[in-house]
mmCIF file with all atom_site columns, all heavy atoms in Angstrom:
data_model
loop_
_atom_site.group_PDB
_atom_site.id
_atom_site.type_symbol
_atom_site.label_atom_id
_atom_site.label_alt_id
_atom_site.label_comp_id
_atom_site.label_asym_id
_atom_site.label_entity_id
_atom_site.label_seq_id
_atom_site.pdbx_PDB_ins_code
_atom_site.Cartn_x
_atom_site.Cartn_y
_atom_site.Cartn_z
_atom_site.occupancy
_atom_site.B_iso_or_equiv
_atom_site.pdbx_formal_charge
_atom_site.auth_seq_id
_atom_site.auth_comp_id
_atom_site.auth_asym_id
_atom_site.auth_atom_id
_atom_site.pdbx_PDB_model_num
ATOM 1  N N   . GLY A 1 63  ? -10.173 6.776  -7.677  1.00 0.00 ? 1123 GLY A N   1
ATOM 2  C CA  . GLY A 1 63  ? -9.247  7.570  -6.888  1.00 0.00 ? 1123 GLY A CA  1
ATOM 3  C C   . GLY A 1 63  ? -9.754  8.963  -6.593  1.00 0.00 ? 1123 GLY A C   1
ATOM 4  O O   . GLY A 1 63  ? -10.449 9.580  -7.403  1.00 0.00 ? 1123 GLY A O   1
ATOM 5  N N   . ASP A 1 146 ? -11.766 31.423 -21.968 1.00 0.00 ? 1206 ASP A N   1
ATOM 6  C CA  . ASP A 1 146 ? -10.469 32.027 -22.275 1.00 0.00 ? 1206 ASP A CA  1
ATOM 7  C C   . ASP A 1 146 ? -9.718  31.165 -23.287 1.00 0.00 ? 1206 ASP A C   1
ATOM 8  O O   . ASP A 1 146 ? -9.380  30.018 -23.014 1.00 0.00 ? 1206 ASP A O   1
ATOM 9  C CB  . ASP A 1 146 ? -9.652  32.153 -20.992 1.00 0.00 ? 1206 ASP A CB  1
ATOM 10 C CG  . ASP A 1 146 ? -8.297  32.809 -21.223 1.00 0.00 ? 1206 ASP A CG  1
ATOM 11 O OD1 . ASP A 1 146 ? -7.990  33.185 -22.376 1.00 0.00 ? 1206 ASP A OD1 1
ATOM 12 O OD2 . ASP A 1 146 ? -7.532  32.928 -20.239 1.00 0.00 ? 1206 ASP A OD2 1
ATOM 13 N N   . ARG A 1 186 ? -26.097 21.899 -19.787 1.00 0.00 ? 1246 ARG A N   1
ATOM 14 C CA  . ARG A 1 186 ? -24.647 21.915 -19.593 1.00 0.00 ? 1246 ARG A CA  1
ATOM 15 C C   . ARG A 1 186 ? -24.213 22.924 -18.524 1.00 0.00 ? 1246 ARG A C   1
ATOM 16 O O   . ARG A 1 186 ? -23.053 22.916 -18.108 1.00 0.00 ? 1246 ARG A O   1
ATOM 17 C CB  . ARG A 1 186 ? -23.938 22.229 -20.910 1.00 0.00 ? 1246 ARG A CB  1
ATOM 18 C CG  . ARG A 1 186 ? -24.230 21.222 -21.996 1.00 0.00 ? 1246 ARG A CG  1
ATOM 19 C CD  . ARG A 1 186 ? -23.361 21.439 -23.215 1.00 0.00 ? 1246 ARG A CD  1
ATOM 20 N NE  . ARG A 1 186 ? -23.773 20.596 -24.322 1.00 0.00 ? 1246 ARG A NE  1
ATOM 21 C CZ  . ARG A 1 186 ? -23.156 20.508 -25.484 1.00 0.00 ? 1246 ARG A CZ  1
ATOM 22 N NH1 . ARG A 1 186 ? -22.061 21.246 -25.700 1.00 0.00 ? 1246 ARG A NH1 1
ATOM 23 N NH2 . ARG A 1 186 ? -23.601 19.718 -26.443 1.00 0.00 ? 1246 ARG A NH2 1
ATOM 24 N N   . ALA A 1 190 ? -20.557 24.112 -15.233 1.00 0.00 ? 1250 ALA A N   1
ATOM 25 C CA  . ALA A 1 190 ? -19.842 25.350 -14.884 1.00 0.00 ? 1250 ALA A CA  1
ATOM 26 C C   . ALA A 1 190 ? -20.152 25.649 -13.422 1.00 0.00 ? 1250 ALA A C   1
ATOM 27 O O   . ALA A 1 190 ? -21.040 26.447 -13.103 1.00 0.00 ? 1250 ALA A O   1
ATOM 28 C CB  . ALA A 1 190 ? -20.275 26.498 -15.787 1.00 0.00 ? 1250 ALA A CB  1
ATOM 29 N N   . PRO A 1 240 ? -32.024 24.542 -2.976  1.00 0.00 ? 1300 PRO A N   1
ATOM 30 C CA  . PRO A 1 240 ? -33.156 23.623 -3.154  1.00 0.00 ? 1300 PRO A CA  1
ATOM 31 C C   . PRO A 1 240 ? -32.953 22.215 -2.611  1.00 0.00 ? 1300 PRO A C   1
ATOM 32 O O   . PRO A 1 240 ? -33.929 21.510 -2.377  1.00 0.00 ? 1300 PRO A O   1
ATOM 33 C CB  . PRO A 1 240 ? -33.346 23.589 -4.671  1.00 0.00 ? 1300 PRO A CB  1
ATOM 34 C CG  . PRO A 1 240 ? -31.975 23.868 -5.215  1.00 0.00 ? 1300 PRO A CG  1
ATOM 35 C CD  . PRO A 1 240 ? -31.361 24.840 -4.263  1.00 0.00 ? 1300 PRO A CD  1
ATOM 36 N N   . LYS A 1 247 ? -22.483 14.708 8.706   1.00 0.00 ? 1307 LYS A N   1
ATOM 37 C CA  . LYS A 1 247 ? -21.118 14.492 8.229   1.00 0.00 ? 1307 LYS A CA  1
ATOM 38 C C   . LYS A 1 247 ? -21.108 13.355 7.220   1.00 0.00 ? 1307 LYS A C   1
ATOM 39 O O   . LYS A 1 247 ? -21.942 12.450 7.294   1.00 0.00 ? 1307 LYS A O   1
ATOM 40 C CB  . LYS A 1 247 ? -20.173 14.160 9.389   1.00 0.00 ? 1307 LYS A CB  1
ATOM 41 C CG  . LYS A 1 247 ? -19.952 15.283 10.381  1.00 0.00 ? 1307 LYS A CG  1
ATOM 42 C CD  . LYS A 1 247 ? -18.953 14.858 11.457  1.00 0.00 ? 1307 LYS A CD  1
ATOM 43 C CE  . LYS A 1 247 ? -18.694 16.001 12.447  1.00 0.00 ? 1307 LYS A CE  1
ATOM 44 N NZ  . LYS A 1 247 ? -17.718 15.607 13.493  1.00 0.00 ? 1307 LYS A NZ  1
ATOM 45 N N   . ASN A 1 275 ? -19.461 0.969  -7.989  1.00 0.00 ? 1335 ASN A N   1
ATOM 46 C CA  . ASN A 1 275 ? -18.544 0.097  -8.740  1.00 0.00 ? 1335 ASN A CA  1
ATOM 47 C C   . ASN A 1 275 ? -18.476 -1.305 -8.129  1.00 0.00 ? 1335 ASN A C   1
ATOM 48 O O   . ASN A 1 275 ? -17.411 -1.858 -7.895  1.00 0.00 ? 1335 ASN A O   1
ATOM 49 C CB  . ASN A 1 275 ? -17.144 0.728  -8.778  1.00 0.00 ? 1335 ASN A CB  1
ATOM 50 C CG  . ASN A 1 275 ? -16.257 0.089  -9.834  1.00 0.00 ? 1335 ASN A CG  1
ATOM 51 O OD1 . ASN A 1 275 ? -16.734 -0.556 -10.756 1.00 0.00 ? 1335 ASN A OD1 1
ATOM 52 N ND2 . ASN A 1 275 ? -14.955 0.278  -9.704  1.00 0.00 ? 1335 ASN A ND2 1
ATOM 53 N N   . LYS A 1 356 ? -24.046 2.000  -39.239 1.00 0.00 ? 1416 LYS A N   1
ATOM 54 C CA  . LYS A 1 356 ? -23.994 1.216  -40.477 1.00 0.00 ? 1416 LYS A CA  1
ATOM 55 C C   . LYS A 1 356 ? -22.953 0.098  -40.387 1.00 0.00 ? 1416 LYS A C   1
ATOM 56 O O   . LYS A 1 356 ? -23.093 -0.934 -41.033 1.00 0.00 ? 1416 LYS A O   1
ATOM 57 C CB  . LYS A 1 356 ? -23.698 2.137  -41.658 1.00 0.00 ? 1416 LYS A CB  1
ATOM 58 C CG  . LYS A 1 356 ? -24.867 3.037  -42.040 1.00 0.00 ? 1416 LYS A CG  1
ATOM 59 C CD  . LYS A 1 356 ? -24.553 3.858  -43.276 1.00 0.00 ? 1416 LYS A CD  1
ATOM 60 C CE  . LYS A 1 356 ? -25.763 4.699  -43.690 1.00 0.00 ? 1416 LYS A CE  1
ATOM 61 N NZ  . LYS A 1 356 ? -25.471 5.538  -44.875 1.00 0.00 ? 1416 LYS A NZ  1
ATOM 62 N N   . THR A 1 357 ? -21.924 0.338  -39.582 1.00 0.00 ? 1417 THR A N   1
ATOM 63 C CA  . THR A 1 357 ? -20.910 -0.692 -39.338 1.00 0.00 ? 1417 THR A CA  1
ATOM 64 C C   . THR A 1 357 ? -21.069 -1.189 -37.909 1.00 0.00 ? 1417 THR A C   1
ATOM 65 O O   . THR A 1 357 ? -20.838 -0.433 -36.964 1.00 0.00 ? 1417 THR A O   1
ATOM 66 C CB  . THR A 1 357 ? -19.486 -0.139 -39.523 1.00 0.00 ? 1417 THR A CB  1
ATOM 67 O OG1 . THR A 1 357 ? -19.359 0.425  -40.834 1.00 0.00 ? 1417 THR A OG1 1
ATOM 68 C CG2 . THR A 1 357 ? -18.453 -1.243 -39.335 1.00 0.00 ? 1417 THR A CG2 1
ATOM 69 N N   . PHE A 1 474 ? -14.986 16.436 -38.494 1.00 0.00 ? 1534 PHE A N   1
ATOM 70 C CA  . PHE A 1 474 ? -15.092 17.562 -37.574 1.00 0.00 ? 1534 PHE A CA  1
ATOM 71 C C   . PHE A 1 474 ? -15.962 18.674 -38.157 1.00 0.00 ? 1534 PHE A C   1
ATOM 72 O O   . PHE A 1 474 ? -16.716 19.330 -37.428 1.00 0.00 ? 1534 PHE A O   1
ATOM 73 C CB  . PHE A 1 474 ? -13.701 18.097 -37.237 1.00 0.00 ? 1534 PHE A CB  1
ATOM 74 C CG  . PHE A 1 474 ? -12.775 17.063 -36.647 1.00 0.00 ? 1534 PHE A CG  1
ATOM 75 C CD1 . PHE A 1 474 ? -11.392 17.162 -36.821 1.00 0.00 ? 1534 PHE A CD1 1
ATOM 76 C CD2 . PHE A 1 474 ? -13.268 15.983 -35.929 1.00 0.00 ? 1534 PHE A CD2 1
ATOM 77 C CE1 . PHE A 1 474 ? -10.536 16.218 -36.283 1.00 0.00 ? 1534 PHE A CE1 1
ATOM 78 C CE2 . PHE A 1 474 ? -12.421 15.021 -35.386 1.00 0.00 ? 1534 PHE A CE2 1
ATOM 79 C CZ  . PHE A 1 474 ? -11.053 15.138 -35.569 1.00 0.00 ? 1534 PHE A CZ  1
ATOM 80 N N   . LYS A 1 490 ? -30.476 15.473 -35.016 1.00 0.00 ? 1550 LYS A N   1
ATOM 81 C CA  . LYS A 1 490 ? -30.353 14.070 -34.603 1.00 0.00 ? 1550 LYS A CA  1
ATOM 82 C C   . LYS A 1 490 ? -29.871 13.200 -35.763 1.00 0.00 ? 1550 LYS A C   1
ATOM 83 O O   . LYS A 1 490 ? -28.963 12.372 -35.605 1.00 0.00 ? 1550 LYS A O   1
ATOM 84 C CB  . LYS A 1 490 ? -31.697 13.574 -34.084 1.00 0.00 ? 1550 LYS A CB  1
ATOM 85 C CG  . LYS A 1 490 ? -31.717 12.130 -33.627 1.00 0.00 ? 1550 LYS A CG  1
ATOM 86 C CD  . LYS A 1 490 ? -33.097 11.774 -33.082 1.00 0.00 ? 1550 LYS A CD  1
ATOM 87 C CE  . LYS A 1 490 ? -33.176 10.318 -32.653 1.00 0.00 ? 1550 LYS A CE  1
ATOM 88 N NZ  . LYS A 1 490 ? -34.517 9.983  -32.108 1.00 0.00 ? 1550 LYS A NZ  1
#
Side-chain angles (χ1 to χ4, degrees):
D1206 182 1
R1246 300 188 188 184
K1307 294 182 179 180
N1335 195 19
K1416 288 184 177 178
T1417 304
F1534 303 152
K1550 180 178 178 179

